[in-house]
């Protein structure tokens, strides 16, 4: 009898310890990651703060790197959740399936992710989008009469290109430029810089590069008066943001309640809001934690 009582007490203690280390009750600790640039880190931080406010314990791995790093991370279980751009996430696996239709991109991505890492679920996506954009300075646009990406083909060797390191293996970057625009990859003059980040924009503004791939919500576009070239071949898909979550994690929690928390955040992230938030982080150099908390409180998502 004493042995049974001891075991029972030990079991009770283990339950208590478990509750303390997972944020309380059945809310299992969640590992959240993000791609390396500011917007991905910011949205991941928003998801993290909303979950923490609801009693979850969050382990952050924000800014892990490009998709070739974060995709294996979520497939392997290194992280449980990351914000994903529907078009680029789908394009990573199969660029032939990407479209300008957000619902179609989500459905196609979900079909693929259901077979990856034991299963990964795509939750609700944002109304706002942030697409890949090829931009030039206003003086370069005027000099060469540039209005669309196809205008670059004839002068490609006269320009210095600023492209992210992962462009070579990204079908929506090198693949699109080569296959549909006839632009040789790598370009004759190339500088490899992080996608959607301040150094790329600064290099373009300072003349170190003449054409750069930025994100369409990047505040540097309006800040420096860059010209966004029309994607006249329609190579870039709809790029709404959505959290993707491992199924083995969702099995540990109330899936409907969990999804409701994150969908509430995603539902308020319009393109205008994403652009405004980018100004706070990338121009005003504020911490993503502070910007996220301020926006969540202003939108009634944090007390």
């Amino acid at each position: 009898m004493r042995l049974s009582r001891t075991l029972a007490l030990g079991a009770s203690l283990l339950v208590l310890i478990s509750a303390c280390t997972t944020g309380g009750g059945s809310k299992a600790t969640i590992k959240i990651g993000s791609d390396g640039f500011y917007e991905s880190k910011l949205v991941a931080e928003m998801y993290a703060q909303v979950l923490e406010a609801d009693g979850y314990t969050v382990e952050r791995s924000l800014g892990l790197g490009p998709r070739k790093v974060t995709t294996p991370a979520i497939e392997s279980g290194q992280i449980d959740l990351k914000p994903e751009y529907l078009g680029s996430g789908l394009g990573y696996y199969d660029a032939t399936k990407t479209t300008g239709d957000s619902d179609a991109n989500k459905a196609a991505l979900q079909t693929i992710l259901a077979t990856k890492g034991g299963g990964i679920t795509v939750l609700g996506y944002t109304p706002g989008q942030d697409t890949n954009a090829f931009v030039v300075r206003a003086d370069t646009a005027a000099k060469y009469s540039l209005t669309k990406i196809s205008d670059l083909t004839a002068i490609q060797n006269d320009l210095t290109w600023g492209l992210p390191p992962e462009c070579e293996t990204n079908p929506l970057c090198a693949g699109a430029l080569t296959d549909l625009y006839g632009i040789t990859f790598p370009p004759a003059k190339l500088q490899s810089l992080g996608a959607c980040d301040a150094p790329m924009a600064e290099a373009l503004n300072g003349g170190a590069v003449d054409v750069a791939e930025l994100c369409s919500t990047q505040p540097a576009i309006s800040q420096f008066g860059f010209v966004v070239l029309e994607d006249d071949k329609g190579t870039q898909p709809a790029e709404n943001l959505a959290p993707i979550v491992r199924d083995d994690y969702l099995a540990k929690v109330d899936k409907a309640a969990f999804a409701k928390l994150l969908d509430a955040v995603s539902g308020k992230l319009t393109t205008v809001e994403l652009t405004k938030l980018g100004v706070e982080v990338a121009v005003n150099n504020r911490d993503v934690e502070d910007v996220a908390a301020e926006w969540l409180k202003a939108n009634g998502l944090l007390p």
Side-chain angles (χ1 to χ4, degrees):
M1 295 297 292
R2 181 175 295 178
L3 178 59
S4 298
R5 180 176 174 81
T6 301
L7 289 174
L9 289 171
S12 298
L13 182 59
L14 285 173
V15 169
L16 178 61
I17 292 172
S18 177
C20 292
T21 58
T22 60
S26 62
K27 294 178 179 178
T29 297
I30 184 167
K31 298 171 289 187
I32 297 180
S34 81
D35 293 338
F37 58 98
Y38 74 88
E39 188 175 77
S40 182
K41 290 188 283 188
L42 177 62
V43 174
E45 179 63 28
M46 289 178 177
Y47 294 148
Q49 290 190 21
V50 165
L51 289 172
E52 285 176 328
D54 198 60
Y56 289 83
T57 296
V58 177
E59 295 179 0
R60 290 166 173 78
S61 296
L62 307 189
L64 284 172
R67 190 167 284 102
K68 66 180 180 180
V69 174
T70 57
T71 299
I74 194 166
E75 287 185 3
S76 67
Q78 178 185 341
I79 57 175
D80 301 308
L81 178 153
K82 63 161 283 194
E84 183 57 282
Y85 294 83
L86 295 181
S88 292
L90 176 58
Y92 177 86
Y93 292 106
D94 187 349
T96 66
K97 288 185 167 59
T98 59
T99 72
D101 185 312
S102 304
D103 285 336
N105 286 349
K106 180 185 177 182
L109 180 58
Q110 181 60 80
T111 297
I112 291 172
L113 289 180
T115 69
K116 302 295 181 181
I120 297 170
T121 293
V122 185
L123 299 182
Y125 60 77
T126 64
Q129 295 190 43
D130 184 4
T131 62
N132 299 318
F134 289 89
V135 304
V136 295
R137 292 184 306 280
D139 63 317
T140 305
K143 178 179 179 179
Y144 294 104
S145 300
L146 303 175
T147 60
K148 53 189 184 297
I149 299 176
S150 59
D151 292 336
L152 296 170
T153 306
I155 59 168
Q156 59 182 286
N157 292 334
D158 299 329
L159 305 174
T160 299
W161 293 68
L163 298 171
E166 62 271 22
C167 183
E168 182 175 6
T169 58
N170 186 343
L172 299 177
C173 188
L177 291 174
T178 301
D179 298 340
L180 292 171
Y181 286 110
I183 293 169
T184 301
F185 192 91
K189 294 183 282 186
L190 171 66
Q191 281 207 28
S192 184
L193 296 162
C196 301
D197 216 342
M200 181 80 83
E202 290 164 0
L204 180 62
N205 188 54
V209 301
D210 303 305
V211 55
E213 185 186 44
L214 299 180
C215 287
S216 62
T217 62
Q218 203 161 340
I221 293 174
S222 58
Q223 180 186 10
F224 297 124
F226 295 152
V227 175
V228 178
L229 301 177
E230 178 193 352
D231 178 23
D232 50 310
K233 302 293 185 182
T235 65
Q236 300 304 310
E239 291 283 19
N240 312 77
L241 269 159
I244 60 173
V245 193
R246 288 182 57 84
D247 289 351
D248 58 3
Y249 180 80
L250 291 174
K252 302 173 186 176
V253 299
D254 181 335
K255 181 178 177 180
F258 180 89
K260 185 177 180 180
L261 288 170
L262 300 191
D263 287 349
V265 177
S266 297
K268 292 183 179 292
L269 286 172
T270 64
T271 302
V272 171
E273 289 299 296
L274 288 170
T275 303
K276 288 180 180 177
L277 289 163
V279 171
E280 293 301 309
V281 176
V283 177
N284 296 336
N285 296 313
R286 296 183 61 201
D287 291 338
V288 294
E289 295 88 350
D290 295 336
V291 174
E294 183 178 281
W295 184 85
L296 291 169
K297 290 175 182 177
N299 283 275
L301 298 168
L302 280 185

